[in-house]
Amino acid sequence: MSAGRILATYRIAASESESRVRAESLAAEQSVEMPLAAIADKRILSDIVASVESIRPHAGEFEVVLGIAPATTGNEASQLMNMLFGNCSLQPEVELVDVAFPPGYEKAFPGPRFGIDGIRVAAGVESGPLTCTALKPQGSSPAELATLARTFALAGIDVIKDDHGIANQAFCPFAERVPAVQRAIADANRETGGRTIYAPTLSGGGRSLSEQARVAKDSAVKMALIAPMLVGIPAFVEIQVDLDIPVMAHPAFAGAGRIAPALLLGKLFRLFGADATIFPNHGGRFSFSRATCMAIAEAARAPWEHVRAALPVPAGGMTVERVDEMIQGYGPDTMLLIGGGLLSAKDKLVDRAREFVAKVRGRIG
Amino acid sequence: MSAGRILATYRIAASESESRVRAESLAAEQSVEMPLAAIADKRILSDIVASVESIRPHAGEFEVVLGIAPATTGNEASQLMNMLFGNCSLQPEVELVDVAFPPGYEKAFPGPRFGIDGIRVAAGVESGPLTCTALKPQGSSPAELATLARTFALAGIDVIKDDHGIANQAFCPFAERVPAVQRAIADANRETGGRTIYAPTLSGGGRSLSEQARVAKDSAVKMALIAPMLVGIPAFVEIQVDLDIPVMAHPAFAGAGRIAPALLLGKLFRLFGADATIFPNHGGRFSFSRATCMAIAEAARAPWEHVRAALPVPAGGMTVERVDEMIQGYGPDTMLLIGGGLLSAKDKLVDRAREFVAKVRGRIG
């Protein structure tokens, strides 16, 4: 293996006989993007062109490990994604399955500023799994969402997030919704002695994100929800400096890729600063397998130099009935997110939410 | 059809017997993301929840047209993509194949500020196809790229862009490269009386983009190259205000999606402001079919309210030998991009570049 390279593993749907040629053309595509024969400079050939580190058969196709020169990524998020999967994203036979970074490279990125421990401190939950729900549906007014948030906070939910579809629409502007919901939750916390946290959805370009971060800060909001693939990964990285509160990543628009979910939603979102990462749990409305979900949780929490662990948040059509099984599968450093499954209780909403909290807390020691 | 809705067509890989249930669950997923039975507010059911406009069989699968309420998109790019393909991007059986916007909706977005006509004015090419090439390989110094740019400008190439992999790396910082290359091209233009344009790659988050836009402006650069999916679509929209020069979109990281290329690289990039759009031509290093490529060009140029036409830029392993066939296929409102195919000529580079220009110009009149 070439020392100091970023090792990117690709699965290529092509016959093994082509594997050497295909691997070498991928190495050129993901670095200099031109025929190597036309490059005279030996330094570029040795230091810049990606290397083919290994080729091995895999289930009738093959896997190639490329060694990508860290210098080509400029230590910047959009350029890192470009070198990993820019042009080859346009080649449907290529999938990006894993990336291993050389020690020290991770320092170029923020990583989670708070991580699992920081979220526990903010939510006042020292151990065991956490609970999360979502304010829905979009189309509701700030006052309606604030009332709903109050109900969830009284029930003792740890984190109440906006639905990812609630952005900055005219029917519920960010600047009106966020102070109203935060106030309702703070009032409920005062009544119960609880520590429920609100995580509003931030959206738009860098300017919108900055403005929304300012509103969130002024309202004493303690967590933020952002979909990195919708706002753009570099914007996700940049806004964290302004926010200075834990950030929960939402997977919207992220599954469009042929990038292994554990790599994108687990390892890469964590590298780019996600303190918590939402992903569609197996057996719900999405088709991720149990193995994929476990791999995401593992990538979010695995020891990695000085990079803090991110909190896995399985979601997507979950119900109170599945709490025990989910905790058994994911363990205590997990936040369970149930949205529609609580709202379906309609006028029994507060009871269903309390049942959710009790069931999760009941698992503790 | 519901009046005033955004009509989004999805292809769903599932049996027709499930089509009604599947279509209705997609309509909920892409709007309120909760069971409709739990929504009491009639206004939300009628004005916010996406409607199922039609279902029809398609090649053993089926196509669903959803009517998405424009209000849910907040007239903002990241939220529009969220409503079109946020959560369902995580469902591998769902593809987004087309979107039709209600008249007037397009005014929420900039569209191309210059379009084909504006690029023609900037490059001084009144009619016929344009020529484009790329500065490569990354790892070259600003001085080396400036020398290469001079050669291309002397040969009369219309647009010289950075390779999309040339970003803001330590070995070739944007702030050093861009003034050096622009100066070399301006000098060559003075010698030849030509109008060659330089399009440097802008990358990173909103702050990097703003800083790079400032450098580009100070250097009198006349075009910019940006990969919307790498920097994030809302950042792509925002930076155009600062730039105020034609913008060429690069498809890096865009093919990862299950969004029809003609929709994403053609119609949507155009809506979001691309004056020109690069895409992998058929028969090169990428597997887009001829029909897909023609559909991209059509989507970029088709009449659309007051939205300016964007210039199609087929690329990706093209050679001078294919010029005639490409012009025949794409017509005169096209820019042909040949990068590695010119650089392979090595010490005969200027002759190969001149041949490229002559061959394209020869088609005129």
Side-chain angles (χ1 to χ4, degrees), chain A residues 78-167:
Chain A
S78 67
Q79 180 61 9
L80 170 60
M81 296 310 295
N82 193 14
M83 291 298 95
L84 290 176
F85 204 58
N87 270 9
C88 67
S89 81
L90 298 157
Q91 298 174 319
E93 72 280 13
V94 179
E95 268 179 80
L96 177 62
V97 294
D98 199 12
V99 179
F101 296 100
Y105 182 80
E106 77 286 346
K107 288 180 193 141
F109 294 93
R113 281 176 170 74
F114 299 87
I116 295 179
D117 293 345
I119 293 172
R120 287 195 178 283
V121 169
V125 182
E126 273 180 39
S127 61
L130 293 91
T131 54
C132 183
T133 192
L135 300 178
K136 310 184 182 203
Q138 65 160 307
S140 307
S141 68
E144 287 165 331
L145 294 177
T147 303
L148 184 58
R150 176 179 165 80
T151 305
F152 286 140
L154 290 176
I157 299 274
D158 296 313
V159 176
I160 302 171
K161 71 170 196 65
D162 280 342
D163 190 23
H164 85 288
I166 294 182

Side-chain angles (χ1 to χ4, degrees), chain A residues 29 31-35 37-39 41 43-44 48 71-72 74 76 78-79 81-83 85-87 89-93 136-140 144 163-165 167 169 171 203-208 210 229-235 238 242 250-259 280 285-288 340 343-344 346, chain B residues 29 31-35 37-39 41 43-44 48 71-72 74 76 78-79 81-83 85-87 89-93 136-140 144 163-165 167 169 171 203-208 210 229-235 238 242 250-259 280 285-288 340 343-344 346:
Chain A
E29 193 72 58
S31 53
V32 290
E33 207 199 331
M34 64 180 286
I39 299 177
D41 189 334
R43 191 189 45 81
I44 291 178
I48 300 293
T72 64
E76 188 277 314
S78 67
Q79 180 61 9
M81 296 310 295
N82 193 14
M83 291 298 95
F85 204 58
N87 270 9
S89 81
L90 298 157
Q91 298 174 319
E93 72 280 13
K136 310 184 182 203
Q138 65 160 307
S140 307
E144 287 165 331
D163 190 23
H164 85 288
Q169 295 100 332
F171 50 65
S203 65
R207 270 160 227 166
S208 309
S210 287
M229 304 307 279
L230 284 175
V231 303
I233 286 174
E238 267 191 1
D242 290 7
H250 191 283
F253 207 52
R258 295 182 318 281
I259 304 179
R285 297 199 311 276
F286 300 86
S287 60
F288 280 22
L343 292 166
S344 298
K346 295 199 258 193
Chain B
E29 192 71 59
S31 53
V32 290
E33 207 199 330
M34 65 180 285
I39 299 178
D41 188 333
R43 190 190 45 81
I44 290 179
I48 300 291
T72 64
E76 188 277 316
S78 67
Q79 180 61 9
M81 296 310 295
N82 193 14
M83 292 298 95
F85 204 58
N87 271 9
S89 81
L90 297 157
Q91 298 174 321
E93 71 281 13
K136 304 183 184 203
Q138 66 159 306
S140 308
E144 287 166 332
D163 190 23
H164 84 288
Q169 297 99 333
F171 50 65
S203 65
R207 272 161 227 165
S208 309
S210 287
M229 304 307 278
L230 284 175
V231 303
I233 286 174
E238 267 191 1
D242 290 6
H250 191 285
F253 208 52
R258 294 181 319 281
I259 304 179
R285 296 199 312 277
F286 301 86
S287 59
F288 280 24
L343 292 166
S344 298
K346 294 200 258 192

Side-chain angles (χ1 to χ4, degrees), chain B:
Chain B
M1 294 276 175
S2 308
R5 292 269 169 139
I6 296 169
L7 301 175
T9 305
Y10 301 86
R11 198 162 294 155
I12 303 186
S15 72
E16 229 197 299
S17 63
E18 318 171 34
S19 65
R20 170 57 55 183
V21 172
R22 201 62 197 71
E24 280 169 4
S25 73
L26 186 64
E29 192 71 59
Q30 293 311 112
S31 53
V32 290
E33 207 199 330
M34 65 180 285
L36 300 193
I39 299 178
D41 188 333
K42 287 210 176 67
R43 190 190 45 81
I44 290 179
L45 290 170
S46 66
D47 297 356
I48 300 291
V49 174
S51 52
V52 176
E53 297 287 326
S54 66
I55 301 173
R56 66 181 189 96
H58 178 93
E61 304 172 354
F62 57 93
E63 280 190 359
V64 175
V65 177
L66 294 189
I68 293 173
T72 64
T73 72
N75 290 354
E76 188 277 316
S78 67
Q79 180 61 9
L80 171 60
M81 296 310 295
N82 193 14
M83 292 298 95
L84 290 176
F85 204 58
N87 271 9
C88 67
S89 81
L90 297 157
Q91 298 174 321
E93 71 281 13
V94 179
E95 268 179 80
L96 176 62
V97 293
D98 200 12
V99 179
F101 297 100
Y105 181 79
E106 76 288 345
K107 288 181 193 138
F109 293 94
R113 281 176 171 74
F114 300 87
I116 295 179
D117 292 346
I119 294 172
R120 287 195 178 284
V121 169
V125 181
E126 274 181 38
S127 62
L130 292 91
T131 53
C132 182
T133 192
L135 300 178
K136 304 183 184 203
Q138 66 159 306
S140 308
S141 68
E144 287 166 332
L145 294 176
T147 303
L148 183 59
R150 177 179 165 78
T151 303
F152 285 140
L154 290 176
I157 299 276
D158 297 314
V159 175
I160 302 172
K161 72 170 196 64
D162 281 339
D163 190 23
H164 84 288
I166 294 181
N168 191 24
Q169 297 99 333
F171 50 65
C172 194
F174 188 93
E176 290 178 30
R177 176 179 83 252
V178 172
V181 171
Q182 178 61 41
R183 207 176 309 122
I185 292 175
D187 288 349
N189 281 343
R190 259 190 300 278
E191 291 171 38
T192 62
R195 300 272 293 269
T196 296
I197 289 173
Y198 174 40
T201 304
L202 276 69
S203 65
R207 272 161 227 165
S208 309
L209 290 171
S210 287
E211 174 56 21
Q212 292 173 11
R214 194 191 56 72
V215 170
K217 226 169 178 173
D218 289 352
S219 310
V221 159
K222 293 194 178 54
M223 195 166 193
L225 177 74
I226 305 179
M229 304 307 278
L230 284 175
V231 303
I233 286 174
F236 179 71
V237 171
E238 267 191 1
I239 195 60
Q240 292 170 43
V241 180
D242 290 6
L243 276 170
D244 204 28
I245 48 176
V247 171
M248 179 151 53
H250 191 285
F253 208 52
R258 294 181 319 281
I259 304 179
L263 172 61
L264 185 61
L265 308 184
K267 197 187 277 187
L268 290 173
F269 279 8
R270 177 183 176 190
L271 177 68
F272 298 141
D275 298 286
T277 185
I278 300 176
F279 58 91
N281 196 27
H282 56 100
R285 296 199 312 277
F286 301 86
S287 59
F288 280 24
S289 69
R290 187 174 189 282
T292 295
C293 293
M294 292 299 143
I296 296 170
E298 166 72 15
R301 294 184 300 209
W304 180 9
E305 304 292 330
H306 296 286
V307 182
R308 290 187 183 86
L311 188 63
V313 188
M318 294 301 101
T319 57
V320 175
E321 288 68 35
R322 289 192 59 184
V323 162
D324 287 348
E325 167 236 318
M326 288 173 72
I327 294 175
Q328 215 151 21
Y330 290 105
D333 277 338
T334 304
M335 182 152 71
L336 307 188
L337 165 50
I338 305 183
L342 299 187
L343 292 166
S344 298
K346 294 200 258 192
D347 52 355
K348 298 208 173 60
L349 177 61
V350 69
D351 300 327
R352 180 76 62 89
R354 284 199 170 115
E355 188 194 344
F356 173 36
V357 172
K359 223 166 164 186
V360 174
R361 290 284 182 272
R363 300 281 315 187
I364 310 168

